[in-house]
Amino acid sequence: MNTKNAWDAIIVGTGPAGATVARELAIRKKKVLIMEKGKLDYSIHIPSMLKNKEMLYIGKGKTLVRGIRTGGTSVLYYGTAYEPPKEYFLQYGIDLSGEFDELRRELPVAPLRDELIGPSAKKIMQSATGLGYPWRKLDKFIYQDKCAPGHFPDQAQWNATEYITEAIEAGAAMLNGADVKRVILSGKEAVGVEYIDSGIHQKVYAPKIVLAAGGIASAQILNNSGINTPEGFFCDPIITVHGVGDGIQAGNEIPMAAGMICKQEGYILTDITLPRLVYKLFTAQALRFHRLFDHGKTVSIMVKVRDSLGGRITKKGNVRKEFTDQDKRKMENGLAHATKILEHAGVKKIFRTAWTAAHPGGSVRIGGAVDSNLQTEYDNLYVCDCSVLPTEWGLPPTFTLLALAKRLAKRL
Ligand SMILES: Cc1cc2nc3c(=O)[nH]c(=O)nc-3n(C[C@H](O)[C@H](O)[C@H](O)COP(=O)(O)OP(=O)(O)OC[C@H]3O[C@@H](n4cnc5c(N)ncnc54)[C@H](O)[C@@H]3O)c2cc1C
């Protein structure tokens, strides 16, 4: 891999953003090397996730989840697509409308057909709309023709491994197990990256380098290369509220079928069916051991908050973050509405889980460490992943990341 000039571009990371850039460049016949720290893995095994730093402790009993595997966090995600208002990016001179149109043609982005919405999500939607809340179906990245009521095979949900497969089919090379540590700089240019593979330090070179290692690792790699990033990040903390539904057959549903996005208030509420193991973990964390086996009759709402930028990412890639009083107030407001909706639905024995978070980002933000072309202060070094989102977020980010990545690939 030491050969100079063997590649037109190196892409670090295979989450939604990295996979998209890699695929777009490979289709354009560029020689692309994709470097991925993890391997292909669909399992949820908590001890391994802790060991691989896919679950990180952020302080005061709170955790953060991300995927270190081929496909990145999209292998673990809930497949909700959200197109942000145009103004979010127009103010930075970025118009993503063409990219969103392109993505809607390429990917299965649509709200679920009624019959694919599970019983607990329906119960919540009826209760919320009955109370006058603007509860609407959400767009999903789901091949609905592969689903039937109560039957949702894993392959029915789009994730970034599909774009990686297409990139490889178009000629890209993929290096799994490559833990990229640092960008190699020479004057005003980035010339390559240093990485560790099976304990051995190695280097690889290319005229264009795109860091797409996610909201934590891209900032870490830049910092370890001597490139400054702005202070703080967001992580969109969540709490889930659970209760027992009367005679309901829950537990096997497409999560986040519908919800409400309260932009002004800074939170979103959606139905949520957690994977059984995650439900058990959250229930144990909340010390509700007697509820560990209630997964099949549990009706749940997720409250996700748009938290302020803050906290820090360490050189070793650990994170520390304290939520502000404002963040906590937003969460309490969201939880009050979630509880009201569940109670109105006749759901009993309601409890809430501990704080966790699933969208680290904003750590290499546009207008901070990258410009509106996602370029760093080094001419040929780009960052494209959740870290470049310009400000607090609080929304499903994947659709936006795919659009930003398509735009970057055109400019490269
Ligand atoms: C449980 C859960 C549910 C979610 N549900 C949704 C949802 O419904 N809708 C939505 O839009 N979003 C959702 N998300 C968030 C979404 O998955 C992420 O925001 C998105 O995947 C981020 O994409 P990314 O390209 O920025 O980075 P990631 O997907 O995190 O990918 C980063 C990649 O870089 C690799 N990497 C990291 N460090 C290195 C290194 N040193 N060297 C080489 N490679 C490295 C990783 O292995 C990974 O492949 C969810 C997240 C979680 C945890």
Side-chain angles (χ1 to χ4, degrees):
M1 285 292 165
N2 270 336
T3 339
K4 288 204 177 183
N5 305 324
W7 312 105
D8 294 319
I10 293 171
I11 316 293
V12 178
T14 61
T20 307
V21 180
R23 170 187 182 264
E24 296 290 323
L25 294 182
I27 288 172
R28 290 176 177 80
K29 301 288 168 223
K30 300 293 176 200
K31 288 178 281 171
V32 176
L33 175 64
I34 307 168
M35 306 187 74
E36 169 53 52
K37 182 173 175 178
K39 56 183 188 325
L40 189 62
D41 180 7
Y42 282 89
S43 66
I44 299 181
H45 182 253
I46 309 293
S48 315
M49 290 179 72
L50 285 165
K51 182 167 162 259
N52 297 338
K53 291 196 172 179
E54 291 187 302
M55 283 181 83
L56 295 166
Y57 184 67
I58 57 178
K60 297 199 174 160
K62 302 177 176 71
T63 50
L64 186 152
V65 182
R66 62 170 175 172
I68 301 289
R69 24 182 113 192
T70 302
T73 313
S74 76
V75 170
L76 304 169
Y77 82 156
Y78 295 147
T80 306
Y82 179 80
E83 182 174 336
K86 272 187 178 189
E87 316 81 75
Y88 278 31
F89 285 94
L90 281 180
Q91 58 181 306
Y92 300 96
I94 301 173
D95 181 0
L96 295 174
S97 347
E99 283 75 17
F100 280 120
D101 289 346
E102 224 175 287
L103 285 162
R104 282 186 187 276
R105 285 193 297 275
E106 279 173 16
L107 296 178
V109 177
L112 292 178
R113 294 196 309 270
D114 285 349
E115 69 269 24
L116 296 181
I117 299 184
S120 76
K122 273 195 183 131
K123 199 177 185 56
I124 290 169
M125 182 145 52
Q126 276 161 4
S127 171
T129 48
L131 285 166
Y133 288 113
W135 200 269
R136 308 266 181 275
K137 285 195 207 176
L138 300 169
D139 277 342
K140 304 293 295 179
F141 291 111
I142 291 189
Y143 299 102
Q144 297 188 38
D145 52 349
K146 294 187 182 169
C147 303
H151 175 67
F152 314 112
D154 286 345
Q155 327 71 282
Q157 184 161 283
W158 180 89
N159 68 49
T161 61
E162 290 190 25
Y163 273 1
I164 288 296
T165 305
E166 290 174 32
I168 293 169
E169 280 167 5
M174 168 94 169
L175 194 56
N176 278 106
D179 180 1
V180 172
K181 295 292 180 193
R182 194 172 79 79
V183 181
I184 307 166
L185 303 168
S186 170
K188 277 305 290 169
E189 283 200 0
V191 293
V193 298
E194 259 184 48
Y195 65 102
I196 299 183
D197 188 355
S198 311
I200 300 168
H201 283 260
Q202 306 208 41
K203 293 178 182 168
V204 62
Y205 301 90
K208 294 216 188 295
I209 295 162
V210 180
L211 295 183
I216 297 168
S218 284
Q220 180 198 0
I221 295 169
L222 287 177
N223 293 156
N224 289 344
S225 313
I227 303 173
N228 290 329
T229 53
E231 295 251 310
F233 66 97
F234 62 76
C235 60
D236 294 357
I238 62 174
I239 287 185
T240 50
V241 190
H242 303 281
V244 174
D246 200 12
I248 203 158
Q249 284 285 322
N252 176 30
E253 295 184 27
I254 298 176
M256 298 179 76
M260 65 175 184
I261 292 173
C262 306
K263 288 202 192 82
Q264 293 289 88
E265 295 82 353
Y267 53 78
I268 68 175
L269 263 58
T270 74
D271 61 78
I272 187 93
T273 295
L274 298 172
R276 188 183 300 273
L277 201 62
V278 177
Y279 167 79
K280 283 191 174 181
L281 176 71
F282 282 10
T283 306
Q285 272 179 336
L287 307 178
R288 296 295 198 286
F289 299 107
H290 58 294
R291 304 287 295 278
L292 282 175
F293 300 99
D294 283 353
H295 187 240
K297 52 182 179 183
T298 293
V299 180
S300 317
I301 294 183
M302 174 180 76
V303 181
K304 180 190 296 296
V305 160
R306 185 177 67 229
D307 59 325
S308 344
L309 295 167
R312 67 190 178 91
I313 297 168
T314 69
K315 283 195 161 203
K316 289 190 169 168
N318 294 315
V319 281
R320 283 287 174 271
K321 177 151 192 175
E322 284 209 22
F323 296 106
T324 63
D325 288 346
Q326 196 193 18
D327 300 337
K328 291 177 194 163
R329 268 197 304 278
K330 287 182 192 170
M331 184 60 93
E332 280 308 321
N333 287 340
L335 288 169
H337 292 295
T339 307
K340 188 171 164 186
I341 294 167
L342 288 177
E343 282 173 352
H344 186 249
V347 171
K348 303 276 183 329
K349 301 183 189 169
I350 295 172
F351 72 95
R352 41 167 93 165
T353 59
W355 292 62
T356 185
H359 303 164
S363 47
V364 190
R365 43 196 177 268
I366 295 167
V370 292
D371 64 15
S372 56
N373 291 323
L374 309 189
Q375 190 185 304
T376 62
E377 61 188 286
Y378 291 85
D379 291 343
N380 52 345
L381 175 62
Y382 301 82
V383 181
C384 185
D385 55 32
C386 211
S387 62
V388 303
L389 293 183
T391 183
E392 296 99 341
W393 199 246
L395 296 162
T398 303
F399 206 17
T400 303
L401 304 179
L402 298 175
L404 282 169
K406 273 199 176 265
R407 180 175 179 271
L408 172 63
K410 286 176 196 149
R411 280 152 199 261
L412 288 177

